[in-house]
Every structure is written in structure tokens, then in C-alpha cells.
Amino acid sequence: MGRLDQGAQPPRYDAHADWYERYQQGAASGHTKRTAEALSAALGPGAGICLDVGCGTGVHAPRLRSLGWQVVGVDLSHAQLRHAVGRLPVAVADAAALPVRTASVDAISASLIHTDVDDWAAVVQEAARVLHPGGSFAYVVVHPCFVSPFAERMDEKLLLHPGYAESGLRFAGPGIGSGIRPKVGVWHRPLASVLNGVTATGLRIVSVQELGASAHPDLLVIHARR
Ligand SMILES: C[S@@+](CC[C@H](N)C(=O)[O-])C[C@H]1O[C@@H](n2cnc3c(N)ncnc32)[C@H](O)[C@@H]1O
């Protein structure tokens, strides 16, 4: 696992990776399990290499591997990858500049990353570049309309505050919660920006799902093909 020159700013997760690992295994374990289930259902069974872009602690690797994929992870945060190395082969890399040959990967999985990468359009462009023609791109994320810095949850009700239409990195807001977001911030991007980031690459969206048991869906699932 090589080191990446980050310049002055270390990756935002470096200082919180140990906390995040405990959080995913503890308080957020239900959410993590649902994310993994949605990701595997979107990707489906397959052989060949699946690149987990922004893999974090690699928590979804075992489930993806059970589908037949050879899962390899990349992430900007060396500290996150210290947890991931026990779960899958990894490399430190910027998802917007993958050290991977063009059209060399059979599938891309990604979860909860447009909320963390600085340039979502560049990240999807890069995913499309490395995918084989016909390869799958499966992406799961919290729903940007109903889980955002501007969406305040009140039991089964949602109070939508102004600000939804503006993209930006936020550390505070009525919907920011008490999990990882006050620590690393969240890149809020409206739904159209998330979807258009995918279509702009030439990837063809096969399906979009909105999942969640409560009155408002909390997960967005995108499956596209190159
Ligand atoms: C919310 S975590 C999600 C991790 C994992 N996909 C999951 O579902 O548990 C977001 C991850 O994106 C990574 N990340 C942020 N910017 C990145 C970039 N430019 N390239 C690669 N990874 C990046 C962070 O280091 C972090 O591990």
C-alpha cells in the first residue's frame, strides 16, 4: 500500500478512521448492512475484477466477494485502508485519477462517496474509463433529497429547510446528524447533479431505486452500464 502525496491537507477521514470502523460495526451496523445488501443486489453475481471505489474500511467486500467478484479497493485515506487491508486487496488512490488501465475492470462498486469526493463528475468519468464495455457501475448512497444537511428528521416527518439546490461541502445544518458528518463534513449534491454526473460520462443508467422502510426513502441505488 503506497502513500499518496496529499499536499497540505490530509484526507478528511484520516483522523476518524478508527472511530468510523467502530461506528459501522456498532451504531450504524443496520445501515451498513442495508447498504451492502442494496449494493450487491444492484451489482448481481459475476466473475472478474470489481473495483470498490472509495472503499473506506472495506466493509462491503465480503458480501461482494460472495457474489463471485474479485474485489479490489481504492481509497484516498491511508487510515481507512488500514482497516480495509484485512478484508480485501487495496491501493491508496484518488478516485478521480485511478492507477488502472482503460477498459480493464469488469465492474465498479461504490457506496456513500459522492458525499465525500470533491469532484463527483471526475470520479464517475474515471470509473467509466476503467470499465470494460458492458461492465456494471453499481452505486448506493443516502438519498440526497431526504437525507441531507437541509432535511431535518422528526420521527416519521421531515422538515425541509432552504438550501437543497446548492452543491457544497457542509459541516453543519439541521439534518447533519451526530454520526460521521460533523467530523468530516458532507458534500451535498442535489439529485439531478448525482444522476447527471453518471449520464454525462456516457454510462447508461439501467435502473434507479429509492429504498427505505419509513415514510421517506433513505437510500438511492443507481445501476448503470458502460
Ligand atoms: C462515507 S465513506 C464510505 C466508505 C465505504 N464506501 C462504505 O460504504 O463504507 C467515504 C469514503 O470516500 C473516501 N474518499 C473521499 N474522497 C476520495 C477520493 N477523491 N478518492 C478516493 N476515495 C475518496 C473517503 O476516504 C472515505 O473512505
PDB file of all heavy atoms in Angstrom, residues 53 95-96 110 112-127 137 139-141 187 189-199 201 222:
ATOM      1  N   VAL A  53     -14.639   1.608  -5.372  1.00  0.00           N
ATOM      2  CA  VAL A  53     -14.059   2.957  -5.417  1.00  0.00           C
ATOM      3  C   VAL A  53     -14.490   3.724  -4.159  1.00  0.00           C
ATOM      4  O   VAL A  53     -15.679   3.839  -3.881  1.00  0.00           O
ATOM      5  CB  VAL A  53     -14.531   3.684  -6.694  1.00  0.00           C
ATOM      6  CG1 VAL A  53     -14.092   5.137  -6.681  1.00  0.00           C
ATOM      7  CG2 VAL A  53     -13.996   2.977  -7.924  1.00  0.00           C
ATOM      8  N   ALA A  95      -9.882   8.651  -6.476  1.00  0.00           N
ATOM      9  CA  ALA A  95     -10.878   8.078  -7.384  1.00  0.00           C
ATOM     10  C   ALA A  95     -11.007   8.887  -8.672  1.00  0.00           C
ATOM     11  O   ALA A  95     -11.524   8.379  -9.672  1.00  0.00           O
ATOM     12  CB  ALA A  95     -12.234   8.010  -6.677  1.00  0.00           C
ATOM     13  N   ALA A  96     -10.512  10.105  -8.670  1.00  0.00           N
ATOM     14  CA  ALA A  96     -10.567  10.933  -9.881  1.00  0.00           C
ATOM     15  C   ALA A  96      -9.344  10.723 -10.767  1.00  0.00           C
ATOM     16  O   ALA A  96      -9.253  11.324 -11.849  1.00  0.00           O
ATOM     17  CB  ALA A  96     -10.699  12.407  -9.499  1.00  0.00           C
ATOM     18  N   ALA A 110     -19.530   1.198  -5.643  1.00  0.00           N
ATOM     19  CA  ALA A 110     -19.203   2.378  -4.847  1.00  0.00           C
ATOM     20  C   ALA A 110     -20.380   2.653  -3.925  1.00  0.00           C
ATOM     21  O   ALA A 110     -21.532   2.428  -4.298  1.00  0.00           O
ATOM     22  CB  ALA A 110     -18.929   3.585  -5.750  1.00  0.00           C
ATOM     23  N   LEU A 112     -21.691   5.540  -0.820  1.00  0.00           N
ATOM     24  CA  LEU A 112     -21.559   6.714   0.054  1.00  0.00           C
ATOM     25  C   LEU A 112     -20.329   7.537  -0.324  1.00  0.00           C
ATOM     26  O   LEU A 112     -19.557   7.927   0.550  1.00  0.00           O
ATOM     27  CB  LEU A 112     -21.457   6.281   1.536  1.00  0.00           C
ATOM     28  CG  LEU A 112     -22.419   5.197   2.027  1.00  0.00           C
ATOM     29  CD1 LEU A 112     -22.163   4.882   3.496  1.00  0.00           C
ATOM     30  CD2 LEU A 112     -23.875   5.599   1.835  1.00  0.00           C
ATOM     31  N   ILE A 113     -20.138   7.812  -1.597  1.00  0.00           N
ATOM     32  CA  ILE A 113     -18.931   8.581  -1.944  1.00  0.00           C
ATOM     33  C   ILE A 113     -19.198   9.935  -2.604  1.00  0.00           C
ATOM     34  O   ILE A 113     -18.349  10.816  -2.506  1.00  0.00           O
ATOM     35  CB  ILE A 113     -17.918   7.778  -2.782  1.00  0.00           C
ATOM     36  CG1 ILE A 113     -18.443   7.435  -4.168  1.00  0.00           C
ATOM     37  CG2 ILE A 113     -17.407   6.557  -2.057  1.00  0.00           C
ATOM     38  CD1 ILE A 113     -17.336   7.049  -5.143  1.00  0.00           C
ATOM     39  N   HIS A 114     -20.340  10.119  -3.273  1.00  0.00           N
ATOM     40  CA  HIS A 114     -20.493  11.462  -3.879  1.00  0.00           C
ATOM     41  C   HIS A 114     -20.616  12.514  -2.779  1.00  0.00           C
ATOM     42  O   HIS A 114     -20.417  13.705  -3.015  1.00  0.00           O
ATOM     43  CB  HIS A 114     -21.695  11.523  -4.852  1.00  0.00           C
ATOM     44  CG  HIS A 114     -23.004  11.810  -4.203  1.00  0.00           C
ATOM     45  ND1 HIS A 114     -23.960  10.859  -3.997  1.00  0.00           N
ATOM     46  CD2 HIS A 114     -23.509  12.967  -3.682  1.00  0.00           C
ATOM     47  CE1 HIS A 114     -25.004  11.402  -3.367  1.00  0.00           C
ATOM     48  NE2 HIS A 114     -24.755  12.670  -3.175  1.00  0.00           N
ATOM     49  N   THR A 115     -20.908  12.039  -1.558  1.00  0.00           N
ATOM     50  CA  THR A 115     -20.983  12.899  -0.380  1.00  0.00           C
ATOM     51  C   THR A 115     -19.604  13.225   0.188  1.00  0.00           C
ATOM     52  O   THR A 115     -19.506  13.988   1.155  1.00  0.00           O
ATOM     53  CB  THR A 115     -21.800  12.164   0.699  1.00  0.00           C
ATOM     54  OG1 THR A 115     -21.351  10.792   0.724  1.00  0.00           O
ATOM     55  CG2 THR A 115     -23.285  12.190   0.387  1.00  0.00           C
ATOM     56  N   ASP A 116     -18.547  12.626  -0.395  1.00  0.00           N
ATOM     57  CA  ASP A 116     -17.204  12.800   0.164  1.00  0.00           C
ATOM     58  C   ASP A 116     -16.157  13.243  -0.845  1.00  0.00           C
ATOM     59  O   ASP A 116     -15.148  13.824  -0.460  1.00  0.00           O
ATOM     60  CB  ASP A 116     -16.765  11.484   0.831  1.00  0.00           C
ATOM     61  CG  ASP A 116     -17.552  11.239   2.104  1.00  0.00           C
ATOM     62  OD1 ASP A 116     -17.166  11.775   3.149  1.00  0.00           O
ATOM     63  OD2 ASP A 116     -18.597  10.557   2.043  1.00  0.00           O
ATOM     64  N   VAL A 117     -16.367  12.916  -2.123  1.00  0.00           N
ATOM     65  CA  VAL A 117     -15.351  13.298  -3.107  1.00  0.00           C
ATOM     66  C   VAL A 117     -15.547  14.759  -3.494  1.00  0.00           C
ATOM     67  O   VAL A 117     -16.668  15.263  -3.516  1.00  0.00           O
ATOM     68  CB  VAL A 117     -15.397  12.390  -4.361  1.00  0.00           C
ATOM     69  CG1 VAL A 117     -15.130  10.937  -3.985  1.00  0.00           C
ATOM     70  CG2 VAL A 117     -16.716  12.519  -5.104  1.00  0.00           C
ATOM     71  N   ASP A 118     -14.435  15.425  -3.798  1.00  0.00           N
ATOM     72  CA  ASP A 118     -14.530  16.848  -4.132  1.00  0.00           C
ATOM     73  C   ASP A 118     -15.071  17.060  -5.539  1.00  0.00           C
ATOM     74  O   ASP A 118     -15.656  18.098  -5.824  1.00  0.00           O
ATOM     75  CB  ASP A 118     -13.150  17.515  -3.974  1.00  0.00           C
ATOM     76  CG  ASP A 118     -12.734  17.579  -2.501  1.00  0.00           C
ATOM     77  OD1 ASP A 118     -13.633  17.575  -1.635  1.00  0.00           O
ATOM     78  OD2 ASP A 118     -11.518  17.607  -2.230  1.00  0.00           O
ATOM     79  N   ASP A 119     -14.852  16.090  -6.439  1.00  0.00           N
ATOM     80  CA  ASP A 119     -15.293  16.274  -7.832  1.00  0.00           C
ATOM     81  C   ASP A 119     -16.023  15.005  -8.300  1.00  0.00           C
ATOM     82  O   ASP A 119     -15.410  14.080  -8.848  1.00  0.00           O
ATOM     83  CB  ASP A 119     -14.071  16.568  -8.712  1.00  0.00           C
ATOM     84  CG  ASP A 119     -14.466  16.970 -10.136  1.00  0.00           C
ATOM     85  OD1 ASP A 119     -15.633  16.727 -10.536  1.00  0.00           O
ATOM     86  OD2 ASP A 119     -13.594  17.519 -10.844  1.00  0.00           O
ATOM     87  N   TRP A 120     -17.325  14.948  -8.069  1.00  0.00           N
ATOM     88  CA  TRP A 120     -18.129  13.760  -8.393  1.00  0.00           C
ATOM     89  C   TRP A 120     -18.091  13.459  -9.883  1.00  0.00           C
ATOM     90  O   TRP A 120     -17.927  12.314 -10.304  1.00  0.00           O
ATOM     91  CB  TRP A 120     -19.554  13.980  -7.915  1.00  0.00           C
ATOM     92  CG  TRP A 120     -20.590  12.978  -8.356  1.00  0.00           C
ATOM     93  CD1 TRP A 120     -21.729  13.230  -9.051  1.00  0.00           C
ATOM     94  CD2 TRP A 120     -20.601  11.553  -8.096  1.00  0.00           C
ATOM     95  NE1 TRP A 120     -22.447  12.071  -9.256  1.00  0.00           N
ATOM     96  CE2 TRP A 120     -21.779  11.025  -8.684  1.00  0.00           C
ATOM     97  CE3 TRP A 120     -19.726  10.688  -7.441  1.00  0.00           C
ATOM     98  CZ2 TRP A 120     -22.102   9.666  -8.631  1.00  0.00           C
ATOM     99  CZ3 TRP A 120     -20.044   9.334  -7.395  1.00  0.00           C
ATOM    100  CH2 TRP A 120     -21.219   8.841  -7.980  1.00  0.00           C
ATOM    101  N   ALA A 121     -18.199  14.497 -10.728  1.00  0.00           N
ATOM    102  CA  ALA A 121     -18.209  14.282 -12.178  1.00  0.00           C
ATOM    103  C   ALA A 121     -16.908  13.612 -12.622  1.00  0.00           C
ATOM    104  O   ALA A 121     -16.915  12.679 -13.436  1.00  0.00           O
ATOM    105  CB  ALA A 121     -18.416  15.607 -12.908  1.00  0.00           C
ATOM    106  N   ALA A 122     -15.786  14.061 -12.079  1.00  0.00           N
ATOM    107  CA  ALA A 122     -14.486  13.482 -12.461  1.00  0.00           C
ATOM    108  C   ALA A 122     -14.367  12.043 -11.977  1.00  0.00           C
ATOM    109  O   ALA A 122     -13.775  11.192 -12.661  1.00  0.00           O
ATOM    110  CB  ALA A 122     -13.350  14.323 -11.877  1.00  0.00           C
ATOM    111  N   VAL A 123     -14.941  11.745 -10.825  1.00  0.00           N
ATOM    112  CA  VAL A 123     -14.865  10.379 -10.281  1.00  0.00           C
ATOM    113  C   VAL A 123     -15.674   9.414 -11.147  1.00  0.00           C
ATOM    114  O   VAL A 123     -15.212   8.310 -11.469  1.00  0.00           O
ATOM    115  CB  VAL A 123     -15.356  10.370  -8.810  1.00  0.00           C
ATOM    116  CG1 VAL A 123     -15.619   8.950  -8.311  1.00  0.00           C
ATOM    117  CG2 VAL A 123     -14.328  11.064  -7.917  1.00  0.00           C
ATOM    118  N   VAL A 124     -16.872   9.811 -11.561  1.00  0.00           N
ATOM    119  CA  VAL A 124     -17.665   8.894 -12.398  1.00  0.00           C
ATOM    120  C   VAL A 124     -17.021   8.767 -13.781  1.00  0.00           C
ATOM    121  O   VAL A 124     -17.027   7.691 -14.383  1.00  0.00           O
ATOM    122  CB  VAL A 124     -19.137   9.356 -12.526  1.00  0.00           C
ATOM    123  CG1 VAL A 124     -19.989   8.216 -13.062  1.00  0.00           C
ATOM    124  CG2 VAL A 124     -19.695   9.800 -11.208  1.00  0.00           C
ATOM    125  N   GLN A 125     -16.464   9.852 -14.280  1.00  0.00           N
ATOM    126  CA  GLN A 125     -15.766   9.812 -15.574  1.00  0.00           C
ATOM    127  C   GLN A 125     -14.634   8.795 -15.536  1.00  0.00           C
ATOM    128  O   GLN A 125     -14.432   8.015 -16.470  1.00  0.00           O
ATOM    129  CB  GLN A 125     -15.207  11.213 -15.875  1.00  0.00           C
ATOM    130  CG  GLN A 125     -14.644  11.401 -17.272  1.00  0.00           C
ATOM    131  CD  GLN A 125     -15.736  11.350 -18.324  1.00  0.00           C
ATOM    132  OE1 GLN A 125     -16.690  12.122 -18.262  1.00  0.00           O
ATOM    133  NE2 GLN A 125     -15.619  10.444 -19.276  1.00  0.00           N
ATOM    134  N   GLU A 126     -13.927   8.802 -14.431  1.00  0.00           N
ATOM    135  CA  GLU A 126     -12.793   7.890 -14.274  1.00  0.00           C
ATOM    136  C   GLU A 126     -13.282   6.444 -14.135  1.00  0.00           C
ATOM    137  O   GLU A 126     -12.677   5.512 -14.698  1.00  0.00           O
ATOM    138  CB  GLU A 126     -11.991   8.340 -13.044  1.00  0.00           C
ATOM    139  CG  GLU A 126     -10.665   7.693 -12.839  1.00  0.00           C
ATOM    140  CD  GLU A 126      -9.649   7.947 -13.953  1.00  0.00           C
ATOM    141  OE1 GLU A 126      -9.995   8.436 -15.043  1.00  0.00           O
ATOM    142  OE2 GLU A 126      -8.480   7.595 -13.727  1.00  0.00           O
ATOM    143  N   ALA A 127     -14.387   6.250 -13.430  1.00  0.00           N
ATOM    144  CA  ALA A 127     -14.972   4.902 -13.314  1.00  0.00           C
ATOM    145  C   ALA A 127     -15.360   4.396 -14.698  1.00  0.00           C
ATOM    146  O   ALA A 127     -15.105   3.234 -15.044  1.00  0.00           O
ATOM    147  CB  ALA A 127     -16.182   4.938 -12.381  1.00  0.00           C
ATOM    148  N   PHE A 137     -21.741  -0.516 -13.283  1.00  0.00           N
ATOM    149  CA  PHE A 137     -21.425   0.504 -12.275  1.00  0.00           C
ATOM    150  C   PHE A 137     -22.580   0.491 -11.277  1.00  0.00           C
ATOM    151  O   PHE A 137     -23.719   0.808 -11.635  1.00  0.00           O
ATOM    152  CB  PHE A 137     -21.307   1.869 -12.966  1.00  0.00           C
ATOM    153  CG  PHE A 137     -21.173   3.041 -12.024  1.00  0.00           C
ATOM    154  CD1 PHE A 137     -19.929   3.409 -11.535  1.00  0.00           C
ATOM    155  CD2 PHE A 137     -22.281   3.793 -11.652  1.00  0.00           C
ATOM    156  CE1 PHE A 137     -19.799   4.506 -10.670  1.00  0.00           C
ATOM    157  CE2 PHE A 137     -22.155   4.889 -10.808  1.00  0.00           C
ATOM    158  CZ  PHE A 137     -20.915   5.248 -10.303  1.00  0.00           C
ATOM    159  N   TYR A 139     -23.982   1.846  -7.608  1.00  0.00           N
ATOM    160  CA  TYR A 139     -23.730   2.910  -6.638  1.00  0.00           C
ATOM    161  C   TYR A 139     -24.894   3.019  -5.659  1.00  0.00           C
ATOM    162  O   TYR A 139     -26.056   3.062  -6.077  1.00  0.00           O
ATOM    163  CB  TYR A 139     -23.536   4.252  -7.375  1.00  0.00           C
ATOM    164  CG  TYR A 139     -23.224   5.391  -6.421  1.00  0.00           C
ATOM    165  CD1 TYR A 139     -22.189   5.278  -5.503  1.00  0.00           C
ATOM    166  CD2 TYR A 139     -23.968   6.574  -6.429  1.00  0.00           C
ATOM    167  CE1 TYR A 139     -21.897   6.302  -4.618  1.00  0.00           C
ATOM    168  CE2 TYR A 139     -23.677   7.609  -5.549  1.00  0.00           C
ATOM    169  CZ  TYR A 139     -22.638   7.465  -4.646  1.00  0.00           C
ATOM    170  OH  TYR A 139     -22.351   8.463  -3.753  1.00  0.00           O
ATOM    171  N   VAL A 140     -24.572   3.068  -4.368  1.00  0.00           N
ATOM    172  CA  VAL A 140     -25.581   3.231  -3.309  1.00  0.00           C
ATOM    173  C   VAL A 140     -25.169   4.405  -2.431  1.00  0.00           C
ATOM    174  O   VAL A 140     -23.997   4.529  -2.063  1.00  0.00           O
ATOM    175  CB  VAL A 140     -25.685   1.958  -2.434  1.00  0.00           C
ATOM    176  CG1 VAL A 140     -26.695   2.170  -1.302  1.00  0.00           C
ATOM    177  CG2 VAL A 140     -26.074   0.763  -3.269  1.00  0.00           C
ATOM    178  N   VAL A 141     -26.160   5.219  -2.099  1.00  0.00           N
ATOM    179  CA  VAL A 141     -25.862   6.397  -1.273  1.00  0.00           C
ATOM    180  C   VAL A 141     -27.105   6.790  -0.500  1.00  0.00           C
ATOM    181  O   VAL A 141     -28.214   6.379  -0.865  1.00  0.00           O
ATOM    182  CB  VAL A 141     -25.363   7.567  -2.170  1.00  0.00           C
ATOM    183  CG1 VAL A 141     -26.505   8.198  -2.956  1.00  0.00           C
ATOM    184  CG2 VAL A 141     -24.604   8.596  -1.341  1.00  0.00           C
ATOM    185  N   TRP A 187     -20.510  16.481   1.314  1.00  0.00           N
ATOM    186  CA  TRP A 187     -20.710  17.181   0.043  1.00  0.00           C
ATOM    187  C   TRP A 187     -22.175  16.994  -0.335  1.00  0.00           C
ATOM    188  O   TRP A 187     -22.567  15.926  -0.807  1.00  0.00           O
ATOM    189  CB  TRP A 187     -19.821  16.567  -1.048  1.00  0.00           C
ATOM    190  CG  TRP A 187     -18.618  17.383  -1.339  1.00  0.00           C
ATOM    191  CD1 TRP A 187     -17.344  17.143  -0.900  1.00  0.00           C
ATOM    192  CD2 TRP A 187     -18.557  18.572  -2.135  1.00  0.00           C
ATOM    193  NE1 TRP A 187     -16.499  18.107  -1.367  1.00  0.00           N
ATOM    194  CE2 TRP A 187     -17.217  19.003  -2.135  1.00  0.00           C
ATOM    195  CE3 TRP A 187     -19.508  19.324  -2.829  1.00  0.00           C
ATOM    196  CZ2 TRP A 187     -16.800  20.146  -2.802  1.00  0.00           C
ATOM    197  CZ3 TRP A 187     -19.097  20.454  -3.501  1.00  0.00           C
ATOM    198  CH2 TRP A 187     -17.758  20.857  -3.487  1.00  0.00           C
ATOM    199  N   ARG A 189     -25.077  17.269  -2.747  1.00  0.00           N
ATOM    200  CA  ARG A 189     -25.315  17.469  -4.178  1.00  0.00           C
ATOM    201  C   ARG A 189     -26.765  17.108  -4.461  1.00  0.00           C
ATOM    202  O   ARG A 189     -27.231  16.042  -4.032  1.00  0.00           O
ATOM    203  CB  ARG A 189     -24.381  16.582  -5.017  1.00  0.00           C
ATOM    204  CG  ARG A 189     -22.902  16.983  -4.862  1.00  0.00           C
ATOM    205  CD  ARG A 189     -21.948  16.141  -5.691  1.00  0.00           C
ATOM    206  NE  ARG A 189     -20.685  16.820  -5.869  1.00  0.00           N
ATOM    207  CZ  ARG A 189     -19.542  16.521  -5.220  1.00  0.00           C
ATOM    208  NH1 ARG A 189     -19.506  15.536  -4.361  1.00  0.00           N
ATOM    209  NH2 ARG A 189     -18.441  17.220  -5.443  1.00  0.00           N
ATOM    210  N   PRO A 190     -27.512  17.968  -5.158  1.00  0.00           N
ATOM    211  CA  PRO A 190     -28.899  17.641  -5.463  1.00  0.00           C
ATOM    212  C   PRO A 190     -28.990  16.383  -6.329  1.00  0.00           C
ATOM    213  O   PRO A 190     -28.031  16.009  -7.020  1.00  0.00           O
ATOM    214  CB  PRO A 190     -29.409  18.870  -6.225  1.00  0.00           C
ATOM    215  CG  PRO A 190     -28.419  19.950  -5.966  1.00  0.00           C
ATOM    216  CD  PRO A 190     -27.113  19.281  -5.676  1.00  0.00           C
ATOM    217  N   LEU A 191     -30.156  15.752  -6.312  1.00  0.00           N
ATOM    218  CA  LEU A 191     -30.369  14.502  -7.043  1.00  0.00           C
ATOM    219  C   LEU A 191     -29.970  14.624  -8.515  1.00  0.00           C
ATOM    220  O   LEU A 191     -29.304  13.737  -9.069  1.00  0.00           O
ATOM    221  CB  LEU A 191     -31.850  14.100  -6.919  1.00  0.00           C
ATOM    222  CG  LEU A 191     -32.269  12.840  -7.656  1.00  0.00           C
ATOM    223  CD1 LEU A 191     -31.525  11.611  -7.141  1.00  0.00           C
ATOM    224  CD2 LEU A 191     -33.783  12.631  -7.519  1.00  0.00           C
ATOM    225  N   ALA A 192     -30.358  15.712  -9.155  1.00  0.00           N
ATOM    226  CA  ALA A 192     -30.047  15.873 -10.589  1.00  0.00           C
ATOM    227  C   ALA A 192     -28.546  15.872 -10.818  1.00  0.00           C
ATOM    228  O   ALA A 192     -28.051  15.301 -11.799  1.00  0.00           O
ATOM    229  CB  ALA A 192     -30.670  17.163 -11.118  1.00  0.00           C
ATOM    230  N   SER A 193     -27.813  16.487  -9.912  1.00  0.00           N
ATOM    231  CA  SER A 193     -26.361  16.555 -10.057  1.00  0.00           C
ATOM    232  C   SER A 193     -25.736  15.152  -9.917  1.00  0.00           C
ATOM    233  O   SER A 193     -24.790  14.799 -10.640  1.00  0.00           O
ATOM    234  CB  SER A 193     -25.839  17.537  -9.009  1.00  0.00           C
ATOM    235  OG  SER A 193     -24.505  17.353  -8.782  1.00  0.00           O
ATOM    236  N   VAL A 194     -26.291  14.345  -9.008  1.00  0.00           N
ATOM    237  CA  VAL A 194     -25.785  12.973  -8.829  1.00  0.00           C
ATOM    238  C   VAL A 194     -26.044  12.164 -10.101  1.00  0.00           C
ATOM    239  O   VAL A 194     -25.144  11.505 -10.642  1.00  0.00           O
ATOM    240  CB  VAL A 194     -26.462  12.300  -7.608  1.00  0.00           C
ATOM    241  CG1 VAL A 194     -25.982  10.860  -7.469  1.00  0.00           C
ATOM    242  CG2 VAL A 194     -26.178  13.090  -6.335  1.00  0.00           C
ATOM    243  N   LEU A 195     -27.280  12.223 -10.605  1.00  0.00           N
ATOM    244  CA  LEU A 195     -27.642  11.421 -11.790  1.00  0.00           C
ATOM    245  C   LEU A 195     -26.938  11.933 -13.044  1.00  0.00           C
ATOM    246  O   LEU A 195     -26.430  11.147 -13.862  1.00  0.00           O
ATOM    247  CB  LEU A 195     -29.157  11.445 -11.996  1.00  0.00           C
ATOM    248  CG  LEU A 195     -29.991  10.786 -10.891  1.00  0.00           C
ATOM    249  CD1 LEU A 195     -31.480  10.998 -11.133  1.00  0.00           C
ATOM    250  CD2 LEU A 195     -29.674   9.301 -10.785  1.00  0.00           C
ATOM    251  N   ASN A 196     -26.889  13.258 -13.199  1.00  0.00           N
ATOM    252  CA  ASN A 196     -26.250  13.811 -14.390  1.00  0.00           C
ATOM    253  C   ASN A 196     -24.743  13.540 -14.407  1.00  0.00           C
ATOM    254  O   ASN A 196     -24.142  13.423 -15.479  1.00  0.00           O
ATOM    255  CB  ASN A 196     -26.507  15.320 -14.489  1.00  0.00           C
ATOM    256  CG  ASN A 196     -27.957  15.611 -14.856  1.00  0.00           C
ATOM    257  OD1 ASN A 196     -28.616  14.779 -15.485  1.00  0.00           O
ATOM    258  ND2 ASN A 196     -28.466  16.763 -14.455  1.00  0.00           N
ATOM    259  N   GLY A 197     -24.156  13.410 -13.215  1.00  0.00           N
ATOM    260  CA  GLY A 197     -22.739  13.042 -13.144  1.00  0.00           C
ATOM    261  C   GLY A 197     -22.510  11.685 -13.802  1.00  0.00           C
ATOM    262  O   GLY A 197     -21.474  11.449 -14.426  1.00  0.00           O
ATOM    263  N   VAL A 198     -23.485  10.801 -13.680  1.00  0.00           N
ATOM    264  CA  VAL A 198     -23.372   9.468 -14.283  1.00  0.00           C
ATOM    265  C   VAL A 198     -23.652   9.538 -15.784  1.00  0.00           C
ATOM    266  O   VAL A 198     -22.854   9.055 -16.603  1.00  0.00           O
ATOM    267  CB  VAL A 198     -24.349   8.480 -13.590  1.00  0.00           C
ATOM    268  CG1 VAL A 198     -24.271   7.111 -14.250  1.00  0.00           C
ATOM    269  CG2 VAL A 198     -24.036   8.392 -12.098  1.00  0.00           C
ATOM    270  N   THR A 199     -24.756  10.156 -16.167  1.00  0.00           N
ATOM    271  CA  THR A 199     -25.136  10.142 -17.591  1.00  0.00           C
ATOM    272  C   THR A 199     -24.116  10.915 -18.442  1.00  0.00           C
ATOM    273  O   THR A 199     -23.896  10.569 -19.602  1.00  0.00           O
ATOM    274  CB  THR A 199     -26.551  10.719 -17.805  1.00  0.00           C
ATOM    275  OG1 THR A 199     -26.601  12.014 -17.237  1.00  0.00           O
ATOM    276  CG2 THR A 199     -27.606   9.850 -17.159  1.00  0.00           C
ATOM    277  N   THR A 201     -21.073  10.814 -18.457  1.00  0.00           N
ATOM    278  CA  THR A 201     -19.901  10.004 -18.823  1.00  0.00           C
ATOM    279  C   THR A 201     -20.184   9.088 -20.005  1.00  0.00           C
ATOM    280  O   THR A 201     -19.280   8.437 -20.511  1.00  0.00           O
ATOM    281  CB  THR A 201     -19.497   9.086 -17.652  1.00  0.00           C
ATOM    282  OG1 THR A 201     -20.577   8.158 -17.438  1.00  0.00           O
ATOM    283  CG2 THR A 201     -19.244   9.848 -16.381  1.00  0.00           C
ATOM    284  N   ILE A 222     -28.218   3.298  -7.817  1.00  0.00           N
ATOM    285  CA  ILE A 222     -28.089   3.515  -9.265  1.00  0.00           C
ATOM    286  C   ILE A 222     -27.320   2.340  -9.859  1.00  0.00           C
ATOM    287  O   ILE A 222     -26.237   1.982  -9.357  1.00  0.00           O
ATOM    288  CB  ILE A 222     -27.311   4.819  -9.562  1.00  0.00           C
ATOM    289  CG1 ILE A 222     -28.002   6.014  -8.910  1.00  0.00           C
ATOM    290  CG2 ILE A 222     -27.166   5.039 -11.071  1.00  0.00           C
ATOM    291  CD1 ILE A 222     -27.174   7.290  -8.954  1.00  0.00           C
TER     292      ILE A 222
END
